[in-house]
């Protein structure tokens, strides 16, 4: 079963619009970590945020905000007032250190295109 | 945070040849990981490389095809052997930091097999 589901394959928005990228995860561990990464066309993975399973506080960083809800196993990412530079593929990922493995399970990614 | 470099950054190789990708970290790390990202796809873990032991491969990946070395705590190599066009991907190295939840990625190696 897919551990991380990003149901939105592609999203297009017009510049200055707000956009939310969805992420639903599945785990049996009580201790886990969730991540969001940005992958611009150049290919490198840019770390955006990490949350642990015990911290459900929402977080805001500039135009970015994250909504973590354990009740629905979701960790959604909102970009406010989108800009062309936000165009990229965004990956949600899960780490389950309780299993003894520290690797990340990635979702399939959401390609965001911001139209000027 | 760890700074990771990979060599080469990109390469175009002929079918049947092999390519070795290097991953260098600026600090000692316990765990290193190799991921593959096929065109338009997500990242898939190939193997986990720990210093002093053989790499642990994920289902669908074998040592003969993707031999890995981990000679010390700052360096690892991944070889893509007997390449075919299906091996065309971005190969990324990542490391686990001092805190188990820390994950840092290298810039990736973009491989094209013709």
């Amino acid at each position: 079963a897919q551990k991380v589901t990003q149901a939105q394959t592609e999203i297009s928005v017009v510049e200055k619009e707000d956009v939310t990228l969805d992420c639903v995860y599945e785990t049996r561990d009580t201790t886990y970590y969730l991540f969001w990464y940005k992958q611009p066309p150049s290919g490198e993975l840019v770390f955006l945020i990490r949350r642990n399973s015990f911290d459900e506080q929402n977080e805001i960083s500039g135009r970015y905000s994250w909504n973590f809800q354990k009740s629905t196993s979701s960790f959604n990412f909102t970009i406010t007032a989108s800009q062309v530079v936000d165009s990229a593929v965004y990956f949600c990922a899960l780490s389950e250190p309780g299993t003894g493995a520290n690797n990340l399970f990635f979702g399939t990614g959401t390609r965001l295109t911001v139209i000027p | 945070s760890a700074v990771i470099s990979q060599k080469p950054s990109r390469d175009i190789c002929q079918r049947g040849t092999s390519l070795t990708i290097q991953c260098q970290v600026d600090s000692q790390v316990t765990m290193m990981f190799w991921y593959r990202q096929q065109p338009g796809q997500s990242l898939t873990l190939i193997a986990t490389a720990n210093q002093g032991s053989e790499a642990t491969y994920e289902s669908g990946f074998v040592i003969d095809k993707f031999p890995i070395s981990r000679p010390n705590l700052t360096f690892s190599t991944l070889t893509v052997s007997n390449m075919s066009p299906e091996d065309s991907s971005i190969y990324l190295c990542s490391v686990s930091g001092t805190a188990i939840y820390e994950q840092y990625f290298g810039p990736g190696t973009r491989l094209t097999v013709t």
Side-chain angles (χ1 to χ4, degrees), chain B residues 1 3 10 16 19 33 46 67 70 75 78-79 94 99 102 106 111 113-114:
Chain B
S1 64
V3 176
R10 59 176 63 227
L19 176 71
F33 308 91
I46 298 172
R70 181 82 197 272
F75 186 78
L78 168 75
T79 299
S94 80
E102 293 179 341
L111 170 62
V113 183
T114 60

Side-chain angles (χ1 to χ4, degrees), chain A residues 33 35 37 39 41-45 50 91 97 102-104 106-108, chain B residues 31 33 35 37 41-43 45 90 92 96 100-103 105 107 110:
Chain A
Y33 297 89
F35 301 77
Y37 287 89
Q39 189 176 43
S42 54
E44 79 272 22
L45 276 178
R50 172 190 61 244
F91 290 99
N102 289 343
N103 59 284
L104 297 176
F106 284 85
T108 50
Chain B
M31 305 184 79
F33 308 91
Y35 290 84
Q37 186 181 22
Q41 304 296 315
S42 186
L43 284 80
L45 181 67
I90 299 175
L92 296 107
S96 184
I100 59 173
Y101 51 77
E102 293 179 341
Q103 293 269 351
F105 281 84
R110 193 179 294 269

